[in-house]
Amino acid sequence: MALLHKVPSFSSPRSPLNTDYHFLNNQRHPISSFNCAISPFTEKHSKERYQRDQWVYQKTTSCNHTPFTDSIREDDIASQLPELKKLLQVLKEKRESEGKCSEGKCAPGDVFLVGTGPGDPELLTLKAVRVIKSADLLLYDRLVSNDVLDLVGPFAKLLYVGKTAGYHSRTQEEIHELLLSFAEAGATVVRLKGGDPLVFGRGGEEMDFLQQQGIHVKVIPGITAASGIAAELGIPLTHRGIANSVRFLTGHSRKGGTDPLFVSENAADPDSTLVVYMGLSTFPSLSQKLMHHGLSPQTPAVAIERGTTLQQRTVFAELKDLPEKIASTGLESPTLLIIGKVVELSPFWPIPTKQESCLMQA
């Protein structure tokens, strides 16, 4: 199995590919010692996240118990190695009892890359629900909502591999090895990702890695945040005579800076709709670049935090004013940004115009 055979230093707590296994213990009774704000997402301060991982944090009484440093991360990972080996052995014995192993080697299991949509569990596809309920192991990201995780079968194991700015619980390489290890043990492995797994989800990298190792990978698409959140607000991403195209941009910066990776001149197209993922921290710079390249400062825009969930918060403004309004409102990640004349079509657009709307003119 990949992690056991390919990593000689697997037993070392400082191995770069050591892996933390926060397995679900299938008990969701309340923990009175936690005083965290309830979040629909499995963030590091989410009460539900700690309830799922309570077997790891049994002696902890505060959600702020762990300063997320590299040292703590490595120790946390090392502490889970016995659980890893135990689960791999259980899965192997299960496959042997089913006659799916020969001479100690099991036929590899399937890996499903499953998109869970922007947060509302009712936006899941029927196929996604079926696969989630039938999995042996599910590796889930930070932006998979707790309501989606509640659909997991009673005998499945959950493993958190989420990433947030400044802290990655697992590197991408470690996630690759985890998927490979459990697939080689014959498990049905589900990789849960917010939105769509192939839209800014690194699903393509995982698929490519596993296929090169001979693992069968199936992709189950999800409603990407752009589509789900725009629909929630009544914003058509394209509209005849107004927006003849839509463009998805990443707002990621290099090494956590405040400058977006790249904003090309043709991104500032007044006849296109721009949707910016992961762009909250870089939006002040990005908006200036768009205006510098010719996009009107009066372009309608909106920022949506936790779209499609009960915790959704929305800020509408013209492009020139949106960064300041985001800051004053205190929006947090995950926040999606939609920029373009179609935003004005939303019934929630708050800015009256003296002249007939350009949308009506079309």
Side-chain angles (χ1 to χ4, degrees):
M1 285 166 273
L3 283 176
L4 295 180
H5 291 177
K6 296 183 180 179
V7 186
S9 57
F10 185 73
S11 60
S12 166
R14 300 299 174 187
S15 169
L17 289 179
N18 279 341
T19 313
D20 157 2
Y21 291 83
H22 291 188
F23 298 134
L24 180 68
N25 62 8
N26 298 314
Q27 296 180 7
R28 291 179 179 157
H29 42 273
I31 302 177
S32 59
S33 59
F34 288 114
N35 296 311
C36 312
I38 294 176
S39 165
F41 298 106
T42 50
E43 297 167 296
K44 62 185 179 182
H45 297 300
S46 164
K47 179 178 178 180
E48 288 84 354
R49 164 78 201 285
Y50 283 93
Q51 288 177 336
R52 290 188 174 92
D53 298 347
Q54 61 180 296
W55 66 277
V56 180
Y57 306 109
Q58 289 178 359
K59 298 180 180 179
T60 301
T61 59
S62 169
C63 282
N64 295 316
H65 69 287
T66 304
F68 290 108
T69 64
D70 287 340
S71 175
I72 292 294
R73 173 186 177 277
E74 291 173 355
D75 291 342
D76 191 35
I77 289 172
S79 70
Q80 303 310 315
L81 293 180
E83 292 295 330
L84 162 66
K85 295 177 181 179
K86 183 190 301 183
L87 183 58
L88 286 173
Q89 185 61 34
V90 167
L91 290 169
K92 182 178 179 181
E93 291 174 355
K94 178 183 176 183
R95 294 303 179 267
E96 288 175 344
S97 68
E98 296 171 346
K100 297 181 179 179
C101 297
S102 177
E103 298 180 354
K105 186 173 182 179
C106 298
D110 290 330
V111 174
F112 294 87
L113 305 183
V114 178
T116 64
D120 182 350
E122 293 187 346
L123 295 178
L124 283 169
T125 65
L126 294 174
K127 182 177 284 190
V129 173
R130 176 175 59 79
V131 169
I132 288 171
K133 289 183 175 180
S134 64
D136 294 312
L137 174 72
L138 301 97
L139 280 66
Y140 67 101
D141 281 347
R142 182 176 70 95
L143 298 185
V144 177
S145 70
N146 293 314
D147 288 337
V148 171
L149 294 178
D150 287 340
L151 298 172
V152 172
F155 301 108
K157 300 294 186 182
L158 275 169
L159 172 58
Y160 178 69
V161 293
K163 301 172 184 176
T164 188
Y167 181 75
H168 290 184
S169 67
R170 301 294 170 272
T171 66
Q172 191 61 42
E173 291 73 21
E174 289 168 345
I175 293 172
H176 288 173
E177 292 294 337
L178 280 166
L179 293 168
L180 178 60
S181 293
F182 284 99
E184 288 183 339
T188 298
V189 184
V190 169
R191 178 74 170 96
L192 289 178
K193 295 175 174 286
D196 184 272
L198 302 183
V199 179
F200 297 129
R202 305 192 73 169
E205 298 172 43
E206 295 169 2
M207 181 169 55
D208 182 59
F209 171 81
L210 291 168
Q211 288 175 339
Q212 289 187 32
Q213 308 302 318
I215 303 299
H216 188 207
V217 181
K218 299 179 180 178
V219 179
I220 300 178
I223 295 177
T224 189
S227 297
I229 293 173
E232 183 80 7
L233 296 179
I235 298 173
L237 294 177
T238 61
H239 190 84
R240 184 174 61 89
I242 298 299
N244 54 29
S245 65
V246 58
R247 185 168 186 167
F248 297 167
L249 303 177
T250 173
H252 262 176
S253 63
R254 289 186 177 88
K255 299 181 180 180
T258 59
D259 203 40
L261 285 173
F262 179 71
V263 181
S264 63
E265 184 174 353
N266 60 9
D269 179 2
D271 297 322
S272 181
T273 303
L274 297 180
V275 183
V276 184
Y277 291 70
M278 304 167 290
L280 191 62
S281 62
T282 62
F283 186 62
S285 174
L286 186 147
S287 61
Q288 289 297 320
K289 290 178 183 292
L290 290 173
M291 290 186 287
H292 173 74
H293 287 311
L295 198 60
S296 169
Q298 285 74 42
T299 301
V302 59
I304 313 98
E305 175 190 309
R306 306 177 191 275
T308 77
T309 73
L310 294 176
Q311 289 75 23
Q312 176 175 305
R313 293 199 295 165
T314 306
V315 176
F316 286 88
E318 293 179 340
L319 179 60
K320 62 181 173 59
D321 300 322
L322 188 56
E324 182 179 348
K325 290 198 173 185
I326 289 174
S328 63
T329 306
L331 294 189
E332 298 179 352
S333 175
T335 291
L336 189 81
L337 299 141
I338 304 176
I339 305 164
K341 291 181 287 187
V342 292
V343 174
E344 190 179 355
L345 187 62
S346 170
F348 305 107
W349 177 249
I351 303 174
T353 56
K354 294 182 179 179
Q355 297 181 351
E356 183 181 11
S357 168
C358 62
L359 292 169
M360 295 300 295
Q361 292 174 5

